Structure formats: structure tokens, C-alpha cells
Amino acid sequence: TLTISGSNSLDVKGNWTNNGTFVSNSSTVNFNGTVAQSIGGSSVTTFNNLTNAKTVFPLTALTGISIKNILNNLNNTSVLNMGVFALIDGGVFSNIGAGTISTLNTSSLPLPAGKTWVNTIFYSNSVGGQTIVAGTYNGGPSIELDNTSGTQTASGNIITGGQLNINNGGTPILDMNGYNLTTNALNVIAPNSVLNMRGGILTSSAVLSMDGTVRFSGPTNAKPFSSGTVEYNGTTQTVTNGNYYKLLFSGVGGVYTIANDIDIANTLTVTNGALTVLSNRTVSVGDAITVVNPGTFTLENNASLLQTSYLGANSGDVIVKRNTTPVLRYDITYWSSPTTGPQTLSNFAPLTDSNRFNTYDSVNDVWIYEDPTTAVFQKGKGYSIRAPSNTSLTVPTIIPHQFVGVPNNGNI
């Protein structure tokens, strides 16, 4: 048994091995050796105050460590490396100093939850599987996730007064598990990383870098980012207005509504769910549009899809709904299709008499009959189509139509 009486201090310049009993009382144990040091033994040591004053080599845990009062990683180069062992709350301890705590532990409590951390916290398991404990992280940076694969999962709301770094590359995932993330500076450099907010609220005072994907599943919790990918993955979501870089819709059976004008600087992709742009709204896209079955993309009447600078091909069908002005039975509407695909003229206007489909030959100043059962819409070509044969002769009626095909784009 080792007992330190009262509030005395003990300086340790070598390794600490506890195979028996340590009675700390109100003491402070200072680790200040100039070589690598460890805390081990067959017993978990409970310190009252532990000070890591090392400046070059880390202080490494070879067993669990419990703190009752103060954990002080004194210098900005002082590192407490917990390895696979847990740092345990032995009382109501606080954290001070300018150093770093690193953990590989994959238990539900690698560190005590609900604390305010002034040290930088490294969650360092390269294959993930760690719990990011709830709390306030105020180091500089506050949290760094060093997994290059796998998932790190939050156990509660997380606040960072400094940076949240996801920057080691690979395919790391931070699953906020529906909890809120409030960060002073978001720094996501790994391009294949995912910050999965689920239904939680993301608040960020600054975005230093966003090269990965931010995934939202709540009805209205998503927010736009001018870099990286914003992914809508929920069941029923309204798209937040603003400027996006890449926008992805991926939730199986999801219902997604764009109710305001939005701008997408790069790609728009729908892999699952039903995306709808409401009437009189405009979606501007700077790059390719991709719709993958079973995903669908529908533009309601008078909604607009604008591609600003991209001249390449799009992929997958969209549905573009368009209504006539009020018409009588013998009135004609002139159409030009915004899509390309196998849709025939009779698919587009199935109730129009088959001999009332024409195109205009401007060279010879004649109308040319188009067989609606075989003719498909051509890019940049106008078509004269009469109202359906069952349209009223006396009451003007709005007739709904829809184009189905790959969105036209580029020079015609």
C-alpha cells in the first residue's frame, strides 16, 4: 500500500506500476520525466490530482486510470495516451492544461461523459467503433477523429469551442446518432468521410473545410454547404433553401420537396426516393443531373430546371409536368420537349385524335403530319398538338401533360 498524506505532491520520473493499493487522499502526482513513462500494474490507480508535465514523450496508460479531482496535461506538448484503456471519473474531476488526451478505447465510456474538456481530444482508433462521449470540448483543436474507416458514434450532444477535425483520409463516419452538434469551426478534409446528423441539429460558426458528405434525415434539420456533398436521407424532408455544392437524395422511400429556389454549383443526384420541385420554383445546377432507379425527380407545372454552365449529358429520366392554357376541343397547343427519351407523342397526349399531330416545315411552308404512335420528341423541335377529343366545346379547360425522359442540355 502506498499512501500520500494530505495534499502533498509526489514527482514521478519513471514508470508507475500499481499491483497493490494506492491511497491518494488530496495529493497530486506529477509525471515529469524526460523519457517515456507509463501507468500500469494489475490494479486501476485512482489519483486525486494527476499532472502530466512531460514535454517530449507521452505518458502512456497500460491499465485504466481514475481521476477524482483534476487532470492537468500541463504543456501544449503534454500527451496522455490512454491507448485501449478507459479514463474513469473517480469523483467530479475537471480537466486543465494545454495538452492532449488520446484514446483507442471502444467501450461506451472511453472518457467520462458530460465533462468540459480544455485539452484536445483525439479519438484515434483507425477502424472506428468508438463512442464520442457527450460533452463540451474546448481544446485547440477541440476534437480530432483519426479513424480512416468505420463509424464513431456520439453518445449525446457535442459542443466544440474550437475545431472539429475529420482529416485523416479514408472512409470515416461520425454518426451523431440524432444528437446535436454545435461547433465553432467545422474542418472536414477527408473527401470520403460522412458526418451523419440523422435528425440532430448542426450549428457551425465557421466552416474551414467541408470536403466530405453531411447526411441529414430530419424533416427540416438540413442545411446547405457551398462545398462537399449534402445528402438528404430521411423519409419526409423539405429541402432547405440556399446554395449547395453537391446535392444527393438517397433515402429508400423518401419524399423530398423543394419549395424554394436553390442553387447547386456541382451535381444533383437522386438514387432513392421521390424528389419534387414545386410550381414556380427554380433549381439551378452547375453540373450533371443523375437519376438512378428507383429514385424519381418530378418538376411540377411551371417549375424550372436550369443548367448554367455544364454542357455534358445528364443521366436518368425526370418528369416535367406542364399544363395548357384553358382550351376548347379544337384548340391547338405548340410544344417543345425539355427531355429526350422513348416517350411518343401519343404517350404525351393519348386522348388527342391521332391525325392531329403536326410539325412545321419552314423551308417549304407546310405542316407535316407526325404519326403519334412512333414519333418521339426531338430536341429543339416544335410540335402542334390539338386538345383531347373529349374536351368541352364551350368551357375552356386546362389540360395537364407531362414529359418523361433525360433532361436536355447543351447546345442543340
Side-chain angles (χ1 to χ4, degrees), residues 331-352:
D331 288 342
I332 288 172
T333 301
Y334 297 96
W335 299 97
S336 185
S337 177
T339 64
T340 298
Q343 182 184 33
T344 63
L345 302 186
S346 61
N347 293 148
F348 178 74
L351 298 181
T352 293

PDB file of all heavy atoms in Angstrom, residues 331-352:
ATOM      1  N   ASP A 331     -58.822  23.608 -80.154  1.00  0.00           N
ATOM      2  CA  ASP A 331     -57.639  24.455 -79.969  1.00  0.00           C
ATOM      3  C   ASP A 331     -56.363  23.627 -80.048  1.00  0.00           C
ATOM      4  O   ASP A 331     -56.334  22.430 -79.731  1.00  0.00           O
ATOM      5  CB  ASP A 331     -57.694  25.156 -78.611  1.00  0.00           C
ATOM      6  CG  ASP A 331     -58.741  26.257 -78.568  1.00  0.00           C
ATOM      7  OD1 ASP A 331     -59.172  26.702 -79.645  1.00  0.00           O
ATOM      8  OD2 ASP A 331     -59.126  26.664 -77.445  1.00  0.00           O
ATOM      9  N   ILE A 332     -55.313  24.330 -80.455  1.00  0.00           N
ATOM     10  CA  ILE A 332     -54.004  23.682 -80.614  1.00  0.00           C
ATOM     11  C   ILE A 332     -53.020  24.317 -79.638  1.00  0.00           C
ATOM     12  O   ILE A 332     -53.041  25.525 -79.411  1.00  0.00           O
ATOM     13  CB  ILE A 332     -53.502  23.844 -82.065  1.00  0.00           C
ATOM     14  CG1 ILE A 332     -54.316  22.963 -83.010  1.00  0.00           C
ATOM     15  CG2 ILE A 332     -52.012  23.521 -82.179  1.00  0.00           C
ATOM     16  CD1 ILE A 332     -54.029  23.200 -84.471  1.00  0.00           C
ATOM     17  N   THR A 333     -52.154  23.465 -79.067  1.00  0.00           N
ATOM     18  CA  THR A 333     -51.049  23.936 -78.239  1.00  0.00           C
ATOM     19  C   THR A 333     -49.740  23.552 -78.911  1.00  0.00           C
ATOM     20  O   THR A 333     -49.607  22.438 -79.443  1.00  0.00           O
ATOM     21  CB  THR A 333     -51.111  23.334 -76.828  1.00  0.00           C
ATOM     22  OG1 THR A 333     -52.350  23.699 -76.214  1.00  0.00           O
ATOM     23  CG2 THR A 333     -49.955  23.827 -75.965  1.00  0.00           C
ATOM     24  N   TYR A 334     -48.788  24.480 -78.913  1.00  0.00           N
ATOM     25  CA  TYR A 334     -47.474  24.214 -79.506  1.00  0.00           C
ATOM     26  C   TYR A 334     -46.502  23.820 -78.402  1.00  0.00           C
ATOM     27  O   TYR A 334     -46.357  24.529 -77.388  1.00  0.00           O
ATOM     28  CB  TYR A 334     -46.973  25.450 -80.261  1.00  0.00           C
ATOM     29  CG  TYR A 334     -47.861  25.822 -81.415  1.00  0.00           C
ATOM     30  CD1 TYR A 334     -48.851  26.799 -81.279  1.00  0.00           C
ATOM     31  CD2 TYR A 334     -47.746  25.177 -82.647  1.00  0.00           C
ATOM     32  CE1 TYR A 334     -49.695  27.126 -82.320  1.00  0.00           C
ATOM     33  CE2 TYR A 334     -48.585  25.507 -83.704  1.00  0.00           C
ATOM     34  CZ  TYR A 334     -49.551  26.465 -83.537  1.00  0.00           C
ATOM     35  OH  TYR A 334     -50.392  26.793 -84.586  1.00  0.00           O
ATOM     36  N   TRP A 335     -45.843  22.691 -78.607  1.00  0.00           N
ATOM     37  CA  TRP A 335     -44.977  22.115 -77.576  1.00  0.00           C
ATOM     38  C   TRP A 335     -43.561  21.900 -78.114  1.00  0.00           C
ATOM     39  O   TRP A 335     -43.365  21.602 -79.299  1.00  0.00           O
ATOM     40  CB  TRP A 335     -45.512  20.741 -77.126  1.00  0.00           C
ATOM     41  CG  TRP A 335     -46.876  20.747 -76.513  1.00  0.00           C
ATOM     42  CD1 TRP A 335     -48.050  20.473 -77.129  1.00  0.00           C
ATOM     43  CD2 TRP A 335     -47.192  21.023 -75.148  1.00  0.00           C
ATOM     44  NE1 TRP A 335     -49.100  20.558 -76.253  1.00  0.00           N
ATOM     45  CE2 TRP A 335     -48.597  20.890 -75.017  1.00  0.00           C
ATOM     46  CE3 TRP A 335     -46.444  21.367 -74.032  1.00  0.00           C
ATOM     47  CZ2 TRP A 335     -49.254  21.085 -73.811  1.00  0.00           C
ATOM     48  CZ3 TRP A 335     -47.101  21.554 -72.833  1.00  0.00           C
ATOM     49  CH2 TRP A 335     -48.488  21.426 -72.717  1.00  0.00           C
ATOM     50  N   SER A 336     -42.596  21.994 -77.202  1.00  0.00           N
ATOM     51  CA  SER A 336     -41.234  21.525 -77.463  1.00  0.00           C
ATOM     52  C   SER A 336     -40.761  20.850 -76.183  1.00  0.00           C
ATOM     53  O   SER A 336     -40.931  21.394 -75.080  1.00  0.00           O
ATOM     54  CB  SER A 336     -40.299  22.674 -77.826  1.00  0.00           C
ATOM     55  OG  SER A 336     -39.014  22.183 -78.176  1.00  0.00           O
ATOM     56  N   SER A 337     -40.191  19.662 -76.295  1.00  0.00           N
ATOM     57  CA  SER A 337     -39.916  18.846 -75.121  1.00  0.00           C
ATOM     58  C   SER A 337     -38.613  19.240 -74.430  1.00  0.00           C
ATOM     59  O   SER A 337     -37.593  19.450 -75.096  1.00  0.00           O
ATOM     60  CB  SER A 337     -39.844  17.367 -75.506  1.00  0.00           C
ATOM     61  OG  SER A 337     -39.517  16.584 -74.372  1.00  0.00           O
ATOM     62  N   PRO A 338     -38.610  19.306 -73.091  1.00  0.00           N
ATOM     63  CA  PRO A 338     -37.372  19.534 -72.338  1.00  0.00           C
ATOM     64  C   PRO A 338     -36.595  18.248 -72.074  1.00  0.00           C
ATOM     65  O   PRO A 338     -35.549  18.281 -71.430  1.00  0.00           O
ATOM     66  CB  PRO A 338     -37.882  20.129 -71.025  1.00  0.00           C
ATOM     67  CG  PRO A 338     -39.198  19.476 -70.826  1.00  0.00           C
ATOM     68  CD  PRO A 338     -39.796  19.298 -72.202  1.00  0.00           C
ATOM     69  N   THR A 339     -37.134  17.107 -72.549  1.00  0.00           N
ATOM     70  CA  THR A 339     -36.495  15.822 -72.274  1.00  0.00           C
ATOM     71  C   THR A 339     -36.301  15.031 -73.565  1.00  0.00           C
ATOM     72  O   THR A 339     -36.941  15.301 -74.584  1.00  0.00           O
ATOM     73  CB  THR A 339     -37.335  14.973 -71.299  1.00  0.00           C
ATOM     74  OG1 THR A 339     -38.595  14.655 -71.915  1.00  0.00           O
ATOM     75  CG2 THR A 339     -37.567  15.719 -69.997  1.00  0.00           C
ATOM     76  N   THR A 340     -35.428  14.036 -73.486  1.00  0.00           N
ATOM     77  CA  THR A 340     -35.202  13.115 -74.599  1.00  0.00           C
ATOM     78  C   THR A 340     -35.370  11.696 -74.090  1.00  0.00           C
ATOM     79  O   THR A 340     -34.846  11.343 -73.027  1.00  0.00           O
ATOM     80  CB  THR A 340     -33.800  13.279 -75.189  1.00  0.00           C
ATOM     81  OG1 THR A 340     -33.659  14.597 -75.716  1.00  0.00           O
ATOM     82  CG2 THR A 340     -33.544  12.271 -76.291  1.00  0.00           C
ATOM     83  N   GLY A 341     -36.101  10.883 -74.854  1.00  0.00           N
ATOM     84  CA  GLY A 341     -36.310   9.502 -74.449  1.00  0.00           C
ATOM     85  C   GLY A 341     -37.293   8.818 -75.373  1.00  0.00           C
ATOM     86  O   GLY A 341     -37.651   9.344 -76.436  1.00  0.00           O
ATOM     87  N   PRO A 342     -37.785   7.651 -74.976  1.00  0.00           N
ATOM     88  CA  PRO A 342     -38.688   6.876 -75.846  1.00  0.00           C
ATOM     89  C   PRO A 342     -40.146   7.330 -75.797  1.00  0.00           C
ATOM     90  O   PRO A 342     -40.994   6.705 -76.445  1.00  0.00           O
ATOM     91  CB  PRO A 342     -38.540   5.452 -75.292  1.00  0.00           C
ATOM     92  CG  PRO A 342     -38.219   5.640 -73.845  1.00  0.00           C
ATOM     93  CD  PRO A 342     -37.375   6.885 -73.779  1.00  0.00           C
ATOM     94  N   GLN A 343     -40.458   8.375 -75.056  1.00  0.00           N
ATOM     95  CA  GLN A 343     -41.844   8.837 -74.973  1.00  0.00           C
ATOM     96  C   GLN A 343     -42.342   9.267 -76.355  1.00  0.00           C
ATOM     97  O   GLN A 343     -41.782  10.148 -77.002  1.00  0.00           O
ATOM     98  CB  GLN A 343     -41.954  10.001 -73.997  1.00  0.00           C
ATOM     99  CG  GLN A 343     -43.384  10.514 -73.824  1.00  0.00           C
ATOM    100  CD  GLN A 343     -43.447  11.742 -72.926  1.00  0.00           C
ATOM    101  OE1 GLN A 343     -42.532  12.562 -72.909  1.00  0.00           O
ATOM    102  NE2 GLN A 343     -44.526  11.870 -72.165  1.00  0.00           N
ATOM    103  N   THR A 344     -43.417   8.649 -76.813  1.00  0.00           N
ATOM    104  CA  THR A 344     -44.002   9.013 -78.098  1.00  0.00           C
ATOM    105  C   THR A 344     -44.992  10.165 -77.910  1.00  0.00           C
ATOM    106  O   THR A 344     -45.397  10.503 -76.794  1.00  0.00           O
ATOM    107  CB  THR A 344     -44.742   7.820 -78.731  1.00  0.00           C
ATOM    108  OG1 THR A 344     -45.835   7.442 -77.879  1.00  0.00           O
ATOM    109  CG2 THR A 344     -43.795   6.629 -78.919  1.00  0.00           C
ATOM    110  N   LEU A 345     -45.405  10.737 -79.042  1.00  0.00           N
ATOM    111  CA  LEU A 345     -46.391  11.828 -78.981  1.00  0.00           C
ATOM    112  C   LEU A 345     -47.715  11.342 -78.408  1.00  0.00           C
ATOM    113  O   LEU A 345     -48.394  12.080 -77.683  1.00  0.00           O
ATOM    114  CB  LEU A 345     -46.592  12.414 -80.372  1.00  0.00           C
ATOM    115  CG  LEU A 345     -45.353  12.977 -81.081  1.00  0.00           C
ATOM    116  CD1 LEU A 345     -45.748  13.653 -82.391  1.00  0.00           C
ATOM    117  CD2 LEU A 345     -44.609  13.938 -80.183  1.00  0.00           C
ATOM    118  N   SER A 346     -48.097  10.093 -78.717  1.00  0.00           N
ATOM    119  CA  SER A 346     -49.355   9.579 -78.160  1.00  0.00           C
ATOM    120  C   SER A 346     -49.210   9.272 -76.676  1.00  0.00           C
ATOM    121  O   SER A 346     -50.192   9.344 -75.931  1.00  0.00           O
ATOM    122  CB  SER A 346     -49.814   8.333 -78.927  1.00  0.00           C
ATOM    123  OG  SER A 346     -48.849   7.300 -78.835  1.00  0.00           O
ATOM    124  N   ASN A 347     -48.012   8.911 -76.209  1.00  0.00           N
ATOM    125  CA  ASN A 347     -47.798   8.788 -74.762  1.00  0.00           C
ATOM    126  C   ASN A 347     -48.038  10.131 -74.086  1.00  0.00           C
ATOM    127  O   ASN A 347     -48.584  10.193 -72.975  1.00  0.00           O
ATOM    128  CB  ASN A 347     -46.371   8.347 -74.457  1.00  0.00           C
ATOM    129  CG  ASN A 347     -46.045   6.950 -74.914  1.00  0.00           C
ATOM    130  OD1 ASN A 347     -44.903   6.660 -75.274  1.00  0.00           O
ATOM    131  ND2 ASN A 347     -47.023   6.061 -74.923  1.00  0.00           N
ATOM    132  N   PHE A 348     -47.618  11.202 -74.741  1.00  0.00           N
ATOM    133  CA  PHE A 348     -47.737  12.539 -74.178  1.00  0.00           C
ATOM    134  C   PHE A 348     -49.185  13.033 -74.208  1.00  0.00           C
ATOM    135  O   PHE A 348     -49.642  13.662 -73.245  1.00  0.00           O
ATOM    136  CB  PHE A 348     -46.842  13.490 -74.967  1.00  0.00           C
ATOM    137  CG  PHE A 348     -46.890  14.913 -74.527  1.00  0.00           C
ATOM    138  CD1 PHE A 348     -46.276  15.325 -73.356  1.00  0.00           C
ATOM    139  CD2 PHE A 348     -47.567  15.865 -75.296  1.00  0.00           C
ATOM    140  CE1 PHE A 348     -46.321  16.650 -72.952  1.00  0.00           C
ATOM    141  CE2 PHE A 348     -47.617  17.190 -74.901  1.00  0.00           C
ATOM    142  CZ  PHE A 348     -46.987  17.588 -73.723  1.00  0.00           C
ATOM    143  N   ALA A 349     -49.899  12.786 -75.279  1.00  0.00           N
ATOM    144  CA  ALA A 349     -51.281  13.264 -75.443  1.00  0.00           C
ATOM    145  C   ALA A 349     -52.155  12.117 -75.937  1.00  0.00           C
ATOM    146  O   ALA A 349     -52.560  12.076 -77.108  1.00  0.00           O
ATOM    147  CB  ALA A 349     -51.319  14.439 -76.417  1.00  0.00           C
ATOM    148  N   PRO A 350     -52.458  11.151 -75.055  1.00  0.00           N
ATOM    149  CA  PRO A 350     -53.145   9.936 -75.503  1.00  0.00           C
ATOM    150  C   PRO A 350     -54.588  10.144 -75.954  1.00  0.00           C
ATOM    151  O   PRO A 350     -55.132   9.292 -76.676  1.00  0.00           O
ATOM    152  CB  PRO A 350     -53.078   9.035 -74.263  1.00  0.00           C
ATOM    153  CG  PRO A 350     -52.952   9.978 -73.103  1.00  0.00           C
ATOM    154  CD  PRO A 350     -52.129  11.115 -73.620  1.00  0.00           C
ATOM    155  N   LEU A 351     -55.240  11.240 -75.562  1.00  0.00           N
ATOM    156  CA  LEU A 351     -56.651  11.441 -75.906  1.00  0.00           C
ATOM    157  C   LEU A 351     -56.838  12.382 -77.090  1.00  0.00           C
ATOM    158  O   LEU A 351     -57.983  12.699 -77.459  1.00  0.00           O
ATOM    159  CB  LEU A 351     -57.406  11.978 -74.683  1.00  0.00           C
ATOM    160  CG  LEU A 351     -57.429  11.050 -73.456  1.00  0.00           C
ATOM    161  CD1 LEU A 351     -58.212  11.676 -72.324  1.00  0.00           C
ATOM    162  CD2 LEU A 351     -58.011   9.687 -73.822  1.00  0.00           C
ATOM    163  N   THR A 352     -55.743  12.825 -77.700  1.00  0.00           N
ATOM    164  CA  THR A 352     -55.844  13.641 -78.909  1.00  0.00           C
ATOM    165  C   THR A 352     -56.031  12.723 -80.115  1.00  0.00           C
ATOM    166  O   THR A 352     -55.399  11.656 -80.205  1.00  0.00           O
ATOM    167  CB  THR A 352     -54.575  14.491 -79.078  1.00  0.00           C
ATOM    168  OG1 THR A 352     -54.526  15.436 -78.021  1.00  0.00           O
ATOM    169  CG2 THR A 352     -54.569  15.220 -80.412  1.00  0.00           C
TER     170      THR A 352
END
